[in-house]
Amino acid sequence: MPLRLVLLGAPGSGKGTLTSRLLKQIPHLTSISTGDLLRTEIQNSTPIGRLADAYIKEGKLLPDELMAGMVETELVRRNIIDKSFLLDGFPRTSSQALELERRLQDNRINLVVELDVPPDVIVGRIANRWMHSSGRVYNLEYNPPKVPFRDDVTGEPLFQRPDDNPETVRKRLKTYYEQLEPIKRFYQSRGVYDRVGGETSDIIFPQLYRLVKSRLE
Ligand code: G5P
Ligand code: MG
Protein backbone atom coordinates (compact mmCIF):
# COMPACT_ATOMS: atom_id res chain seq x y z
CA MET A 1 0.00 0.00 0.00
CA PRO A 2 1.31 3.50 -0.71
CA LEU A 3 2.64 5.43 2.28
CA ARG A 4 0.88 8.75 2.85
CA LEU A 5 2.93 10.30 5.61
CA VAL A 6 2.57 13.57 7.50
CA LEU A 7 5.46 14.97 9.54
CA LEU A 8 4.14 17.10 12.35
CA GLY A 9 6.64 19.15 14.33
CA ALA A 10 7.39 22.55 15.77
CA PRO A 11 9.32 25.17 13.80
CA GLY A 12 12.91 23.99 13.78
CA SER A 13 12.07 20.45 14.93
CA GLY A 14 13.79 19.07 11.82
CA LYS A 15 10.92 18.36 9.40
CA GLY A 16 12.97 19.53 6.40
CA THR A 17 16.18 17.87 7.62
CA LEU A 18 14.50 14.49 8.27
CA THR A 19 12.57 14.67 4.99
CA SER A 20 15.84 14.99 3.02
CA ARG A 21 17.27 12.01 4.88
CA LEU A 22 14.18 9.88 4.27
CA LEU A 23 14.17 10.72 0.56
CA LYS A 24 17.76 9.53 0.26
CA GLN A 25 16.78 6.15 1.71
CA ILE A 26 13.40 5.82 -0.01
CA PRO A 27 13.77 7.23 -3.53
CA HIS A 28 10.15 6.53 -4.62
CA LEU A 29 8.79 8.82 -1.91
CA THR A 30 7.88 12.36 -3.03
CA SER A 31 7.75 15.22 -0.54
CA ILE A 32 5.76 18.42 -0.45
CA SER A 33 6.73 21.21 1.96
CA THR A 34 4.10 23.93 2.23
CA GLY A 35 6.71 26.35 3.62
CA ASP A 36 8.88 25.81 0.51
CA LEU A 37 5.85 26.18 -1.80
CA LEU A 38 4.95 29.49 -0.17
CA ARG A 39 8.54 30.77 -0.31
CA THR A 40 8.60 29.99 -4.06
CA GLU A 41 5.34 31.95 -4.51
CA ILE A 42 6.94 34.86 -2.61
CA GLN A 43 10.06 34.73 -4.78
CA ASN A 44 7.88 34.83 -7.91
CA SER A 45 5.77 37.72 -6.53
CA THR A 46 2.48 35.93 -7.31
CA PRO A 47 -0.78 37.06 -5.63
CA ILE A 48 -0.52 34.10 -3.20
CA GLY A 49 3.13 35.04 -2.63
CA ARG A 50 2.23 38.61 -1.66
CA LEU A 51 -0.39 37.34 0.77
CA ALA A 52 1.97 34.68 2.16
CA ASP A 53 4.72 37.22 2.70
CA ALA A 54 2.51 39.24 5.05
CA TYR A 55 1.41 36.19 7.07
CA ILE A 56 4.84 34.54 7.28
CA LYS A 57 6.63 37.69 8.41
CA GLU A 58 4.14 37.93 11.26
CA GLY A 59 4.55 34.25 12.16
CA LYS A 60 0.84 33.63 11.42
CA LEU A 61 -0.77 30.66 9.68
CA LEU A 62 -2.34 31.20 6.25
CA PRO A 63 -6.06 30.35 5.82
CA ASP A 64 -6.83 26.60 5.98
CA GLU A 65 -8.81 26.46 2.70
CA LEU A 66 -6.04 28.17 0.77
CA MET A 67 -3.41 25.77 2.11
CA ALA A 68 -5.54 22.67 1.45
CA GLY A 69 -6.17 23.83 -2.11
CA MET A 70 -2.48 24.44 -2.64
CA VAL A 71 -1.52 20.96 -1.47
CA GLU A 72 -4.23 19.26 -3.53
CA THR A 73 -3.09 21.15 -6.64
CA GLU A 74 0.49 20.04 -6.02
CA LEU A 75 -0.49 16.39 -5.48
CA VAL A 76 -2.42 16.45 -8.76
CA ARG A 77 0.30 18.35 -10.65
CA ARG A 78 2.91 15.80 -9.61
CA ASN A 79 0.49 12.92 -10.21
CA ILE A 80 1.08 11.38 -6.77
CA ILE A 81 -2.33 11.63 -5.14
CA ASP A 82 -2.70 7.80 -5.20
CA LYS A 83 1.03 7.09 -4.69
CA SER A 84 3.45 7.37 -1.74
CA PHE A 85 4.06 10.90 -0.51
CA LEU A 86 5.31 12.84 2.49
CA LEU A 87 3.80 16.14 3.63
CA ASP A 88 6.11 18.50 5.57
CA GLY A 89 4.28 21.29 7.37
CA PHE A 90 0.74 20.42 6.31
CA PRO A 91 -1.78 19.80 7.78
CA ARG A 92 -1.02 21.74 10.95
CA THR A 93 -4.52 22.39 12.28
CA SER A 94 -7.38 19.91 12.81
CA SER A 95 -9.47 21.74 10.23
CA GLN A 96 -6.68 21.41 7.64
CA ALA A 97 -6.57 17.68 8.51
CA LEU A 98 -10.30 17.34 7.96
CA GLU A 99 -10.18 19.33 4.72
CA LEU A 100 -7.30 17.16 3.45
CA GLU A 101 -9.21 13.98 4.29
CA ARG A 102 -12.20 15.26 2.32
CA ARG A 103 -10.02 16.03 -0.69
CA LEU A 104 -8.01 12.78 -0.61
CA GLN A 105 -11.14 10.57 -0.39
CA ASP A 106 -9.87 6.94 -0.68
CA ASN A 107 -6.21 7.97 -0.43
CA ARG A 108 -6.30 8.88 3.26
CA ILE A 109 -3.22 9.74 5.31
CA ASN A 110 -2.02 6.46 6.85
CA LEU A 111 0.86 7.63 9.07
CA VAL A 112 1.33 10.83 11.07
CA VAL A 113 4.56 11.18 13.02
CA GLU A 114 5.00 13.89 15.63
CA LEU A 115 8.60 15.04 16.03
CA ASP A 116 8.95 15.85 19.70
CA VAL A 117 11.98 18.09 20.23
CA PRO A 118 12.42 20.23 23.38
CA PRO A 119 11.63 23.91 22.63
CA ASP A 120 14.86 25.19 24.25
CA VAL A 121 16.90 23.14 21.75
CA ILE A 122 14.90 24.54 18.85
CA VAL A 123 15.50 28.23 19.48
CA GLY A 124 19.28 27.88 19.13
CA ARG A 125 18.98 25.84 15.95
CA ILE A 126 16.84 28.38 14.17
CA ALA A 127 19.22 31.23 14.97
CA ASN A 128 21.93 29.30 13.12
CA ARG A 129 19.81 28.27 10.12
CA TRP A 130 20.82 29.38 6.63
CA MET A 131 19.09 28.24 3.50
CA HIS A 132 19.10 28.15 -0.28
CA SER A 133 16.17 29.05 -2.54
CA SER A 134 15.85 25.34 -3.51
CA GLY A 135 14.80 24.63 0.10
CA ARG A 136 18.17 23.10 1.08
CA VAL A 137 18.73 23.82 4.74
CA TYR A 138 22.01 24.29 6.60
CA ASN A 139 22.99 24.99 10.17
CA LEU A 140 26.24 26.73 11.00
CA GLU A 141 26.96 24.16 13.73
CA TYR A 142 25.09 20.99 12.81
CA ASN A 143 25.34 20.70 9.02
CA PRO A 144 27.42 23.63 7.78
CA PRO A 145 27.82 24.30 4.04
CA LYS A 146 31.17 23.19 2.55
CA VAL A 147 31.97 26.81 1.66
CA PRO A 148 30.73 29.27 4.31
CA PHE A 149 27.36 30.86 3.40
CA ARG A 150 27.29 29.18 -0.07
CA ASP A 151 24.99 26.39 -1.28
CA ASP A 152 26.81 23.03 -1.70
CA VAL A 153 25.15 22.24 -5.06
CA THR A 154 24.94 25.58 -6.89
CA GLY A 155 27.52 27.68 -5.02
CA GLU A 156 24.90 30.45 -4.76
CA PRO A 157 24.73 32.60 -1.60
CA LEU A 158 22.61 31.39 1.33
CA PHE A 159 20.10 33.56 3.18
CA GLN A 160 18.31 33.62 6.52
CA ARG A 161 14.52 33.38 6.63
CA PRO A 162 12.72 36.63 7.51
CA ASP A 163 10.57 34.68 10.00
CA ASP A 164 13.60 33.30 11.86
CA ASN A 165 14.05 36.30 14.17
CA PRO A 166 13.50 35.57 17.90
CA GLU A 167 10.17 37.41 18.19
CA THR A 168 8.56 35.67 15.20
CA VAL A 169 9.98 32.29 16.26
CA ARG A 170 8.28 32.72 19.65
CA LYS A 171 4.94 33.39 17.92
CA ARG A 172 5.37 30.39 15.58
CA LEU A 173 6.16 28.10 18.51
CA LYS A 174 3.14 29.35 20.46
CA THR A 175 0.84 28.73 17.48
CA TYR A 176 2.29 25.24 16.99
CA TYR A 177 1.66 24.18 20.59
CA GLU A 178 -1.88 25.64 20.49
CA GLN A 179 -2.74 23.57 17.40
CA LEU A 180 -0.98 20.37 18.46
CA GLU A 181 -3.61 18.80 20.75
CA PRO A 182 -6.59 19.13 18.37
CA ILE A 183 -4.71 17.77 15.35
CA LYS A 184 -3.19 15.01 17.46
CA ARG A 185 -6.67 13.98 18.66
CA PHE A 186 -7.93 14.01 15.07
CA TYR A 187 -5.26 11.60 13.84
CA GLN A 188 -5.39 9.47 17.00
CA SER A 189 -9.09 8.98 16.30
CA ARG A 190 -8.11 7.72 12.82
CA GLY A 191 -5.58 5.30 14.39
CA VAL A 192 -2.58 6.62 12.44
CA TYR A 193 -0.74 8.71 15.02
CA ASP A 194 2.79 8.00 16.26
CA ARG A 195 5.54 9.99 17.92
CA VAL A 196 9.33 10.06 17.90
CA GLY A 197 11.48 12.26 20.07
CA GLY A 198 14.93 13.40 21.06
CA GLU A 199 17.31 16.33 21.16
CA THR A 200 18.94 15.73 17.78
CA SER A 201 17.92 14.61 14.29
CA ASP A 202 20.56 11.86 14.57
CA ILE A 203 18.61 10.38 17.48
CA ILE A 204 15.24 10.88 15.80
CA PHE A 205 16.04 9.64 12.31
CA PRO A 206 16.46 5.91 13.12
CA GLN A 207 13.15 5.93 15.04
CA LEU A 208 11.38 7.61 12.14
CA TYR A 209 12.98 5.33 9.56
CA ARG A 210 11.88 2.23 11.49
CA LEU A 211 8.28 3.43 11.59
CA VAL A 212 8.26 4.30 7.90
CA LYS A 213 9.90 1.00 6.87
CA SER A 214 7.41 -1.02 8.89
CA ARG A 215 4.54 0.63 6.97
CA LEU A 216 6.18 0.09 3.61
CA GLU A 217 6.75 -3.65 4.18
P1 G5P B 1 7.52 26.20 7.38
O1 G5P B 1 8.54 26.54 6.37
O2 G5P B 1 6.86 24.88 7.30
P2 G5P B 1 8.05 25.69 10.17
O3 G5P B 1 8.10 26.79 11.15
O4 G5P B 1 6.94 24.73 10.31
O5 G5P B 1 8.20 26.42 8.78
P3 G5P B 1 10.75 25.08 9.85
O6 G5P B 1 11.17 26.35 10.52
O7 G5P B 1 10.93 24.96 8.37
O8 G5P B 1 9.28 24.74 10.24
P4 G5P B 1 11.82 22.42 10.21
O9 G5P B 1 11.66 22.16 8.77
O10 G5P B 1 11.03 21.56 11.16
O11 G5P B 1 11.54 23.93 10.61
O12 G5P B 1 13.32 22.32 10.66
P5 G5P B 1 14.69 22.21 9.77
O13 G5P B 1 14.80 23.35 8.84
O14 G5P B 1 14.83 20.82 9.25
O15 G5P B 1 15.74 22.38 10.96
C1 G5P B 1 15.89 23.63 11.60
C2 G5P B 1 17.39 23.97 11.74
O16 G5P B 1 17.98 23.04 12.64
C3 G5P B 1 18.19 23.83 10.43
O17 G5P B 1 19.20 24.82 10.42
C4 G5P B 1 18.81 22.43 10.53
O18 G5P B 1 20.02 22.33 9.78
C5 G5P B 1 19.07 22.36 12.03
N1 G5P B 1 19.06 21.00 12.62
C6 G5P B 1 18.33 19.92 12.29
N2 G5P B 1 18.59 18.88 13.10
C7 G5P B 1 19.52 19.33 14.01
C8 G5P B 1 20.19 18.75 15.13
O19 G5P B 1 20.00 17.58 15.46
N3 G5P B 1 21.04 19.56 15.82
C9 G5P B 1 21.30 20.86 15.47
N4 G5P B 1 22.16 21.59 16.20
N5 G5P B 1 20.68 21.45 14.41
C10 G5P B 1 19.81 20.70 13.71
O20 G5P B 1 6.40 27.32 7.39
C11 G5P B 1 6.74 28.67 7.38
C12 G5P B 1 5.50 29.51 7.44
O21 G5P B 1 4.68 29.27 6.29
C13 G5P B 1 3.29 29.30 6.63
C14 G5P B 1 3.24 29.78 8.08
O22 G5P B 1 3.20 31.18 8.10
C15 G5P B 1 4.56 29.25 8.63
O23 G5P B 1 4.98 29.95 9.80
N6 G5P B 1 2.73 27.95 6.48
C16 G5P B 1 1.46 27.61 6.72
N7 G5P B 1 0.39 28.34 7.11
C17 G5P B 1 -0.77 27.67 7.31
N8 G5P B 1 -0.90 26.34 7.16
C18 G5P B 1 0.15 25.57 6.75
N9 G5P B 1 0.00 24.24 6.61
C19 G5P B 1 1.39 26.21 6.51
N10 G5P B 1 2.60 25.76 6.13
C20 G5P B 1 3.41 26.83 6.11
MG1 MG C 1 11.07 23.36 7.11
Side-chain angles (χ1 to χ4, degrees):
M1 191 169 71
L3 173 74
R4 290 182 286 272
L5 167 66
V6 168
L7 286 189
L8 187 65
S13 58
K15 300 183 291 297
T17 303
L18 293 159
T19 296
S20 315
R21 288 201 196 174
L22 272 181
L23 295 190
K24 278 192 195 133
Q25 302 288 333
I26 308 168
H28 71 276
L29 197 61
T30 307
S31 72
I32 295 178
S33 151
T34 41
D36 287 347
L37 288 180
L38 292 170
R39 281 183 285 275
T40 303
E41 297 283 339
I42 293 173
Q43 241 171 0
N44 296 336
S45 287
T46 64
I48 289 185
R50 283 193 288 276
L51 182 79
D53 193 35
Y55 277 87
I56 291 178
K57 269 195 194 130
E58 290 288 315
K60 288 186 183 152
L61 296 182
L62 278 90
D64 291 336
E65 278 279 326
L66 178 97
M67 295 310 301
M70 197 175 205
V71 170
E72 187 183 16
T73 304
E74 196 61 16
L75 288 168
V76 171
R77 188 182 73 80
R78 299 218 209 162
N79 197 20
I80 49 171
I81 203 154
D82 57 353
K83 306 203 169 62
S84 289
F85 58 78
L86 181 168
L87 301 180
D88 156 358
F90 179 89
R92 58 176 95 193
T93 65
S94 57
S95 67
Q96 287 181 5
L98 191 61
E99 187 57 31
L100 179 67
E101 188 171 273
R102 195 178 68 74
R103 289 169 189 250
L104 290 177
Q105 295 180 3
D106 293 338
N107 306 305
R108 280 189 178 189
I109 295 299
N110 48 26
L111 180 61
V112 175
V113 184
E114 177 194 340
L115 310 175
D116 189 9
V117 180
D120 52 327
V121 174
I122 283 174
V123 175
R125 283 183 185 185
I126 291 184
N128 282 320
R129 170 164 54 192
W130 287 75
M131 65 178 300
H132 180 249
S133 52
S134 61
R136 271 186 291 282
V137 178
Y138 301 88
N139 183 281
L140 297 183
E141 291 167 357
Y142 178 69
N143 57 336
K146 290 183 188 122
V147 177
F149 308 109
R150 297 266 167 187
D151 178 45
D152 287 352
V153 178
T154 63
E156 289 166 355
L158 302 177
F159 60 89
Q160 285 197 288
R161 279 172 41 176
D163 57 340
D164 276 356
N165 62 79
E167 191 195 341
T168 312
V169 170
R170 265 197 303 277
K171 283 192 207 160
R172 288 160 57 201
L173 282 169
K174 182 168 174 283
T175 304
Y176 173 75
Y177 289 109
E178 280 167 3
Q179 300 299 333
L180 180 61
E181 276 311 309
I183 190 169
K184 189 170 175 169
R185 274 200 300 275
F186 177 90
Y187 282 121
Q188 279 172 336
S189 76
R190 301 297 190 267
V192 296
Y193 199 83
D194 226 311
R195 195 193 71 93
V196 294
E199 292 208 352
T200 71
S201 296
D202 295 349
I203 291 173
I204 289 182
F205 183 72
Q207 304 171 43
L208 176 63
Y209 187 60
R210 254 196 310 276
L211 273 178
V212 167
K213 278 294 267 189
S214 69
R215 298 300 164 107
L216 282 171
E217 273 154 12

